């Protein structure tokens, strides 16, 4: 699809500068900017995005769930060890 877009002069200059800095044609930079913007617009809020990630990673596999618990426990222990006070983050 071909689209003609009239940009304000300042925005056009910014796009040209970005394209030059990246060593890419303006058209390629504009396509990339549009592609990068669309998923964010579709995702809505950050909560919806986190929910989508959680759904992608959901599992009932007991071996995988046990591995994830061990990973989380290891992270929590490491964070508690690096804490400056004696009060743990994760009691």
């Amino acid at each position: 699809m071909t689209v003609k877009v009239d940009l304000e002069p300042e925005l056009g200059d910014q796009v040209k500068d970005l394209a030059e800095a990246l060593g890419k044609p303006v058209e390629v930079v504009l396509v990339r900017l549009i592609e990068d913007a669309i998923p964010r617009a579709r995702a809505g809020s950050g909560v919806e995005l986190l929910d989508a990630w959680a759904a992608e990673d959901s599992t009932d596999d007991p071996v995988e769930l046990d591995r994830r618990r061990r990973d989380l426990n290891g992270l929590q222990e490491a964070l508690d060890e690096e804490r400056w006070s004696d009060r743990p983050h994760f009691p």
Side-chain angles (χ1 to χ4, degrees):
M1 175 168 83
T2 301
V3 177
K4 181 181 182 224
V5 178
D6 292 320
L7 301 176
E8 295 292 325
E10 185 179 324
L11 183 57
D13 291 341
Q14 290 175 341
V15 171
K16 286 179 192 173
D17 291 345
L18 179 59
E20 287 177 17
L22 296 172
K24 304 279 184 188
V26 170
E27 296 81 4
V28 171
V29 171
L30 288 172
V31 168
R32 176 61 61 91
L33 290 170
I34 293 168
E35 288 173 344
D36 289 349
I38 288 175
R40 284 193 296 268
R42 286 186 191 151
S45 72
V47 172
E48 291 171 352
L49 183 57
L50 292 173
D51 287 343
W53 289 345
E56 287 175 12
D57 291 340
S58 67
T59 183
D60 291 333
D61 178 16
V63 174
E64 176 63 15
L65 292 173
D66 185 54
R67 184 195 66 77
R68 291 178 185 186
R69 273 190 221 97
R70 284 184 280 120
D71 285 351
L72 176 60
N73 289 339
L75 172 64
Q76 290 173 336
E77 289 172 10
L79 290 172
D80 282 341
E81 288 173 7
E82 296 299 319
R83 186 154 168 87
W84 290 2
S85 75
D86 291 334
R87 192 185 80 186
H89 279 127
F90 307 97

